[in-house]
Amino acid sequence: MSGTLFEKIWNAHLVSEIGPGTGLILVDRTLLHERTGGVALKSLLAAGRKVYAPRQAFAVMDHIVDTLPGRGDKTMMPTGTEFIRATREGARAAGIRLFDLNDPNQGIVHVMSPELGIVLPGTTLVCPDSHTCTQGALGALAWGIGSTEAEHALATSTLRVKRPRTMRVTIDGTLAPGVTAKDLALYLLGKFGVAGGKGHIVEYAGSAVRALDVEGRMTLCNMATEFAAFSAIIAPDDAVFAYLEGRPFAPTGAMWARAVESWSALRSDDDARFDTELAADARDVAPMITWGTSPQQVVALDGEVPAFAAGHSAREAYDRALSYMALEPGQRLAGLPIDAAFIGSCTNSRLSDLRRAAAILRGRTVKPGVRAICVPGSTEVRRQAESEGIDKVFLSAGFEWRESGCSMCFFAGGESFGPRQRVVSSTNRNFESRQGPQTRSHLASPETVAASAIAGAIADPRKLGR
Amino acid sequence: MEPFTVLTAIAMPLLRDNIDTDIIIPSREMRSVSKKGLADGLFAGWRYRAIGGREPDPDFVLNDPAYAQARILLTGANFGCGSSREHAAWALGEYGFRAIVAPSFNPIFRANCVANGIVPVVLAADVVSAIAQSILPRPAAAPVTVDLVQQLVRTAQGALYSFQIDAEARQMLLEGLDAVELTLKQEDRIAAARKADAEVRPWVYL
């Protein structure tokens, strides 16, 4: 029987149909972090319930932990310690594996989980975090849930899921040199809008997707939640198998061979039908930057703030975004002075991201007055980067070099950028006050963040002379 | 969870598209490891004059005394986008909202609403605008009815709009069901499915 990749995974996990269009689905992995997971564990235990399959659940500290050297349970976020301790106690009481603050495998949940082989092709994986879609890059059905759903997944190893519609986004052609998965993700949001994937499981396909390395695929899938999608997925291939082989939680030996054979069948059949098909040409993608307060408010780096056009956004939202960002229609983005630069987050904090940014920073210095911060996505990424001397490149350029965590991707009441400060950021959300009260965030690739830090203004990494 | 059947209440219009969960409840307002104590943080960035402050901004609709008793929120497309934080649903619920009428919802937020007894009503943008018009100029004199039994929204002037909601969500809301209890009734089937799956995909269960 022919079907889409999603349908194959769905059918393999379907316990029962519990209503028209709703299935009871086996959950293979439940991941928790201290920001939302602590509440779920506390509430589960208070209800007198146990975790059904503790070996299939994992918890990590990432969201509100300090990323300054020498960190401990105290964080800059008021009451943050309470979240850390509640998660630690909850994980212990529930008998689930916790990657605590000083664990060598600690990291942002969507960075450390692939790194450890916790996510595997064909598995279902949930986490009370909207960027769980990142992990679809490995061929898993991975999606974000709420805390109550997390309790359900922990207590029953299943979830009641409204079956999403299927969408294929085919991107053929070749990305130009210096154009990355992040630029592609932003380009798609600009082209199709932040509701473009509404209620769909999006399968990214096409030669440009196939050509991305596994970390680039994670970046692309990461922003599917900004696309209003249920999740995103990419059919696993040899690149994924090579990425996973030998990871601590991946199968080994004969079991590995058996798994790879099974995973090799995980793709949409040629005659599979999708509810919606979208297409884009990789050759149309340039380095991108957001100008507004929604990820769809994005233009090519050498472009300008567009005039209002009916479509994705209403007039009020357009005017509000311009006023918040202190910009005018027709204004060029390149050359706009910045106050800060941030490289980190589950979108762009992996080793390849840091390597590419370091290639731009090497031998250069951040413009005086610009605050520049790099937060590796996991303790392992940090360790590997340090073994390659990448930390030295960042530090001698004038960047801060941090411990791993979500850090200033968002403002939780502790550390933030200043009011009305303009920040170029490798993160995923440019919402109002996302990175601090009244902070103005421009989303871009790590290369663009690095180039902008050096120029002290939004700058195209391809135009830096040597 | 409190069951929901029919609610007649003041509706509050906040007709903007893409209102994200950072707007509904900023991360800095999630101060304790609890589902409670969030109502004061609802729409904090728009509701108060200063970040972290509590002085109401009179220009924001939530601070308009005409809507003080509002239990229904009328809003724009893609409501609840962004972070998965269920605190957004908890804050709306604790404040008193029991139904949200919008052209579309973010899927995680929509599930969070259902899990917390808040009805996500999907109606076309022009219909939501028409309902918002119908409550003016005196919202208290023109309450809106959300009828989950008949899947209808009714204005005080008698306009009727039917809406779709999937059967599972409707049942959960109508009966105020605990999903975990309901699912655990299928424990045998779950165990059997896991056993069968472990034979096909043993590496998942290592």
Side-chain angles (χ1 to χ4, degrees):
Chain A
M1 198 184 78
S2 75
T4 66
L5 171 55
F6 161 76
E7 285 159 352
K8 291 177 185 181
I9 300 177
W10 177 275
N11 292 338
H13 289 81
L14 186 66
V15 177
S16 60
E17 298 275 0
I18 48 176
T22 303
L24 186 66
I25 297 294
L26 284 180
V27 172
D28 296 327
R29 302 280 182 263
T30 304
L31 273 53
L32 302 171
H33 61 70
E34 85 284 17
R35 188 60 165 146
T36 54
V39 187
L41 285 170
K42 202 172 146 179
S43 174
L44 178 85
L45 300 172
R49 289 179 173 135
K50 288 193 308 189
V51 177
Y52 191 99
R55 287 168 61 81
Q56 289 172 258
F58 304 85
V60 66
M61 307 285 191
D62 60 3
H63 267 64
I64 53 169
V65 297
D66 264 14
T67 53
L68 291 168
R71 67 182 176 192
D73 284 2
K74 271 186 76 70
T75 83
M76 270 183 269
M77 181 198 144
T79 75
T81 305
E82 199 191 322
F83 286 82
I84 291 171
R85 297 201 170 145
T87 303
R88 185 178 294 140
E89 283 159 23
R92 189 179 299 141
I96 66 178
R97 174 78 158 90
L98 168 69
F99 301 95
D100 210 335
L101 273 171
N102 298 316
D103 191 299
N105 292 317
Q106 178 274 344
I108 302 174
V109 61
H110 313 306
V111 177
M112 54 72 75
S113 162
E115 204 171 65
L116 293 177
I118 288 172
V119 59
L120 295 171
T123 54
T124 51
L125 180 148
V126 297
C127 175
D129 189 282
S130 63
H131 289 105
T132 308
C133 49
T134 311
Q135 307 199 34
L138 288 104
L141 186 60
W143 71 100
I145 55 174
S147 296
T148 302
E149 285 184 304
E151 283 178 51
H152 189 288
L154 290 167
T156 70
S157 273
T158 65
L159 270 179
R160 302 170 158 259
V161 189
K162 183 184 175 198
R163 187 187 173 113
R165 289 160 62 79
T166 56
M167 174 187 284
R168 178 162 56 190
V169 180
T170 305
I171 306 139
D172 282 320
T174 307
L175 290 172
V179 179
T180 67
K182 178 61 162 293
D183 300 308
L184 176 57
L186 289 169
Y187 172 84
L188 294 173
L189 287 162
K191 186 176 170 78
F192 299 114
V194 289
K198 189 175 77 185
H200 288 77
I201 168 77
V202 174
E203 181 176 343
Y204 288 113
S207 58
V209 175
R210 196 62 50 223
L212 293 174
D213 63 21
V214 176
E215 297 195 346
R217 294 179 197 181
M218 287 190 232
T219 300
L220 178 63
C221 288
N222 175 270
M223 294 192 75
T225 183
E226 270 57 67
F227 201 44
F230 170 79
S231 187
I233 193 165
I234 296 174
D237 59 8
D238 289 345
V240 168
F241 308 150
Y243 173 93
L244 285 171
E245 189 167 13
R247 305 260 172 194
F249 287 85
T252 54
M255 189 74 91
W256 169 259
R258 197 173 151 194
V260 169
E261 192 192 341
S262 158
W263 297 341
S264 300
L266 289 171
R267 57 191 149 75
S268 293
D269 294 317
D270 292 342
D271 55 350
R273 305 248 333 194
F274 291 81
D275 294 313
T276 311
E277 294 258 15
L278 297 178
D281 190 330
R283 287 166 295 195
D284 295 340
V285 185
M288 305 294 287
I289 188 140
T290 61
W291 56 265
T293 53
S294 162
Q296 73 186 4
Q297 291 170 325
V298 64
V299 289
L301 202 50
D302 59 3
E304 53 194 38
V305 177
F308 175 74
H312 298 324
S313 257
R315 179 84 215 194
E316 194 198 354
Y318 171 83
D319 289 341
R320 195 179 166 87
L322 277 189
S323 140
Y324 184 89
M325 296 299 288
L327 293 170
E328 288 174 8
Q331 197 169 341
R332 283 180 51 75
L333 272 302
L336 201 63
I338 61 165
D339 301 292
F342 182 82
I343 294 177
S345 86
C346 56
T347 317
N348 279 122
S349 66
R350 296 180 180 81
L351 189 61
S352 57
D353 297 315
L354 304 195
R355 280 182 182 149
R356 292 197 314 275
I360 291 177
L361 295 173
R362 192 165 281 121
R364 297 191 167 104
T365 49
V366 170
K367 180 99 167 181
V370 173
R371 185 172 186 208
I373 300 171
C374 177
V375 185
S378 71
T379 301
E380 178 61 14
V381 167
R382 186 172 62 82
R383 196 195 61 72
Q384 284 191 37
E386 287 174 359
S387 76
E388 294 179 17
I390 285 174
D391 58 325
K392 302 279 188 311
V393 176
F394 274 94
L395 285 164
S396 56
F399 264 77
E400 295 174 40
W401 180 254
R402 298 286 190 96
E403 298 285 335
S404 151
C406 297
S407 191
M408 292 204 293
C409 175
F410 63 93
F411 170 56
E415 196 177 18
S416 71
F417 294 106
R420 286 172 288 283
Q421 285 204 333
R422 196 175 292 285
V423 185
V424 187
S425 182
S426 78
T427 57
N428 39 54
R429 288 184 177 143
N430 51 347
F431 299 159
E432 286 181 23
S433 300
R434 173 78 178 171
Q435 291 191 282
Q438 267 97 54
T439 296
R440 296 166 176 148
S441 303
H442 295 270
L443 306 179
S445 71
E447 291 92 321
T448 300
V449 177
S452 303
I454 290 159
I458 292 172
D460 189 332
R462 300 169 306 173
K463 291 182 181 162
L464 281 179
R466 267 291 171 192
Chain B
M1 198 170 83
E2 199 184 333
F4 187 110
T5 50
V6 181
L7 169 72
T8 299
I10 294 174
M12 185 187 98
L14 185 56
L15 299 185
R16 289 179 196 160
D17 289 347
N18 303 320
I19 292 180
D20 57 75
T21 54
D22 275 58
I23 290 293
I24 300 171
I25 180 102
S27 186
R28 62 181 179 277
E29 296 287 344
M30 293 152 53
R31 295 195 180 102
S32 70
V33 193
S34 167
K35 303 177 178 183
K36 301 264 163 41
L38 295 157
D40 273 359
L42 181 67
F43 295 119
W46 289 351
R47 180 176 172 185
Y48 304 116
R49 281 184 186 275
I51 296 276
R54 283 293 182 263
E55 190 194 339
D57 179 343
D59 290 339
F60 185 56
V61 63
L62 200 73
N63 296 320
D64 184 336
Y67 299 106
Q69 300 302 316
R71 296 291 172 263
I72 299 166
L73 180 65
L74 307 172
T75 191
N78 200 26
F79 186 74
C81 59
S83 165
S84 66
R85 64 185 71 157
E86 192 162 322
H87 305 69
W90 296 331
L92 284 160
E94 188 176 304
Y95 183 87
F97 287 110
R98 292 296 316 274
I100 301 170
V101 185
S104 60
F105 292 89
N106 170 276
I108 305 176
F109 177 80
R110 183 192 155 283
N112 287 340
C113 283
V114 173
N116 289 281
I118 298 171
V119 182
V121 178
V122 176
L123 287 172
D126 57 341
V127 172
V128 182
S129 296
I131 298 169
Q133 282 302 315
S134 79
I135 63 181
L136 300 175
R138 290 183 55 235
V144 173
T145 299
V146 174
D147 183 338
L148 184 61
V149 182
Q150 298 194 62
Q151 295 180 219
L152 287 172
V153 173
R154 189 165 54 243
T155 67
Q157 293 82 357
L160 279 178
Y161 307 101
S162 70
F163 65 89
Q164 295 299 311
I165 184 165
D166 54 277
E168 158 88 354
R170 180 172 174 273
Q171 203 63 25
M172 306 287 293
L173 288 161
L174 283 174
E175 297 179 23
L177 292 174
D178 179 324
V180 174
E181 263 173 41
L182 212 58
T183 298
L184 286 175
K185 287 183 182 160
Q186 297 202 37
E187 211 170 343
D188 292 349
R189 293 186 72 160
I190 294 169
R194 281 171 59 86
K195 190 160 175 283
D197 186 47
E199 280 169 26
V200 183
R201 303 183 312 136
W203 53 88
V204 173
Y205 299 86
L206 291 177

